[in-house]
Amino acid sequence: MSNRKFDFSLPTQLSQVIMRHATALSTAIILSFLLVAISMNIQTRMREAAQRDLEKSLVTIAETSQHALVSWIEEQKRALRLFADSEEVRSYTEALLAADRNHGDLLKSPAQSKLRDWFAPVMVTKNHLGFFVVAPDGVSIASTRDTNIGSENLLIQQKDFLTNIMSGRALMSLPLRSDVPLPDKRGVLTDGLPTMFVGAPVRDKDANVIAALLFRINPQDDFDSILRRGRMGTSGETYTYDADGNMLSESRFMAQLIDAGLLDKTAPDTLSLPIRDSGTNLTKGSLRTNDRGNWPLILSALDAITKRSGKNLTGYRDYRGVPVVGVWLWNEDYNWGITTEIDVDEAYAALSNNLAIIRTATFVVVGLILTILLLSSMSRHRVVTSEKRFRNLFNNTSDAVIVVDPASRRLLDANDRASGDLLYSRLELLELEILDLHSTTASEEILSNWNRMALENNIVFETSIVKKDGSIFDAEISVSLADLDEGTVCQAFIRDITHRKVLEEKLSHSQRMETVGTLAGGVAHDFNNLLTPIIGNAQLIAANIEANSSLRVYTDRIISTGNRAANLVSQLMTLGRKSESDMAPIDLPPVLDDAIKLIRTSIPHSIVLTTDIDEDCAEIVADASQIHQVIMNLCINASHAMEKEGGELNISLHPIDADDAIVKMISTLKEGSYAKISISDTGQGMDETVRRQIFDPFFSTKEKGKGERNGARPFHRA
């Protein structure tokens, strides 16, 4: 055993060093200036790196949103060409063109009703708002609505749109204000809502263009939805605008625009909103003037006039007058621009915090240097006082601290926290070697880490520590070498990280679930776009063949398979987004009774279903459908576990008062009255490995082909 005595007194060591070097003052001053210069250089580099990263994120969002819009538009055009090239549309159009060009005759034409009947299922399947057939002179000769027939089509307003379709091109119009009332988000018919049209040429047998076929599209369904996915953080926004700098899409800040007076509260419409700079932050007050025509366009709109892309990462005012940073792209093919912006305050919030930390750290370090100089000038009795204070700090620090002889690896000193954490007295600790605090299986790893000290002087590693009673906890150990008069020693700071390990595992699991959900939702959305024309075309074929046709079985099979695929897509999209709950006061006994009736008809006769329902259980605030879903799924899972040998399935409902003991077990609860639903069965149960994975999507212990493979994720979401 080592007999070295150790005095772990940092102020004494510093005093001795400073007093031996008369040049300490000048060295400290030079070091302070150098530290400030390094700090300023680091801050400059951090600003540049933050701007590069921000630009990359904004460009990625803008380009991804633009690509998604273009893909959606091209898909709509491809689908419409199929209808425009059909024999039915061609023949009905030729019949209408041959009729007298007036409202009455066109409306009474048999081709009009046949065309409407032919397109009716298409409108439902694709969720379109209507169709038009427009003659070369711009007159609507067929339409979903009677009022449009025989009148000039709304798209005459968009320069060259109908002309380009008549020349043989398929096009998607820019959003424009509808000429007829359309359903809003609540389903209420409202005047002046935005609408879009996709158009394709109708050709005769000689491939000559004879008319234009148009579908009316609601921008809120896909156009605005795609742009909403490009919203970054809490203030980021992606929107589109035309060559005149007018907004084409929905704004994220409708409430702010209404409060500022830019939009009418009774009928808010961003199509009437030019993206101009008011010169003041409108979120902090109402409009100072309504003379919007004299307001200058914001930077992205100015570039739109000259059809250029651009960026600004230092800050400019958006159409709310709020300082933002952003990038913008101009799409020459579709004649619109797309901008992705985010408030400056949010964009550089992390950078500002980091710079503040660096400045603070710089001032702290400089202050420490000056403090050391001040300490070096103190008298001996002040140094002794400082030594006592440091010993007190050493013993009361939040981490366990031990001092080790690097040669013998014996403990030379330990603070009070080390004694408390390791369950040894200080004298007992001084009898131990460092390996005595670790299990025998970790000896090689510990020796390797201690050998690193000779090369690195300062190391941090994680390991397991064995207490006196044999229990083990995870620890982070930071070890550094210190040169003292008595020789070189190792200082080891031991921190219990058991709780942190648990939190890290939970965070990692949560991130994996979010990634899987996002991936599943994205894939499902794209796959759904592919299913739509498949099911739609199969329905069109089925509608045009006899019921007893030999082809009917194939079309029915396509439609049935497509619908099953659509149901799978719906489940994937549910996994990829947060469900909207209809929370309301509900009476649980009727909800359970409904579920029990369905369960009785769904489980084998070999399973005995028993219930214990307290009919006087108080109401709760919940989503009744989610409660019903959880009960059904749990019971079906239980029946699968008992279907071979039978068993007993019990469902019970009782009120319960959550006391302090229950709250400690379930951290999300608060003390109070609750309703407790218990579902138990006599199946084989599950081990700990299975229990940890029950909320993982696609996890299942069932055989292939039995049940859904979403794990218990629906229960967790409910």
Side-chain angles (χ1 to χ4, degrees), residues 480-510:
S480 60
L481 293 177
D483 293 323
L484 306 178
D485 285 350
E486 294 85 355
T488 300
V489 296
C490 295
Q491 309 169 57
F493 291 79
I494 304 173
R495 177 170 295 178
D496 188 341
I497 59 171
T498 303
H499 182 62
R500 190 183 80 187
K501 287 282 190 180
V502 173
L503 294 180
E504 289 175 349
E505 176 62 27
K506 290 182 178 179
L507 177 60
S508 176
H509 183 270
S510 174

Side-chain angles (χ1 to χ4, degrees), residues 467-541:
K467 299 181 181 181
K468 182 179 179 180
D469 63 358
S471 61
I472 300 175
F473 68 93
D474 292 324
E476 180 186 80
I477 302 180
S478 175
V479 186
S480 60
L481 293 177
D483 293 323
L484 306 178
D485 285 350
E486 294 85 355
T488 300
V489 296
C490 295
Q491 309 169 57
F493 291 79
I494 304 173
R495 177 170 295 178
D496 188 341
I497 59 171
T498 303
H499 182 62
R500 190 183 80 187
K501 287 282 190 180
V502 173
L503 294 180
E504 289 175 349
E505 176 62 27
K506 290 182 178 179
L507 177 60
S508 176
H509 183 270
S510 174
Q511 291 172 337
R512 293 198 301 270
M513 294 304 98
E514 181 178 355
T515 301
V516 171
T518 301
L519 176 61
V523 171
H525 184 274
D526 292 340
F527 188 53
N528 194 46
N529 289 338
L530 298 176
L531 281 178
T532 299
I534 294 174
I535 298 174
N537 281 288
Q539 291 174 337
L540 292 176
I541 295 172

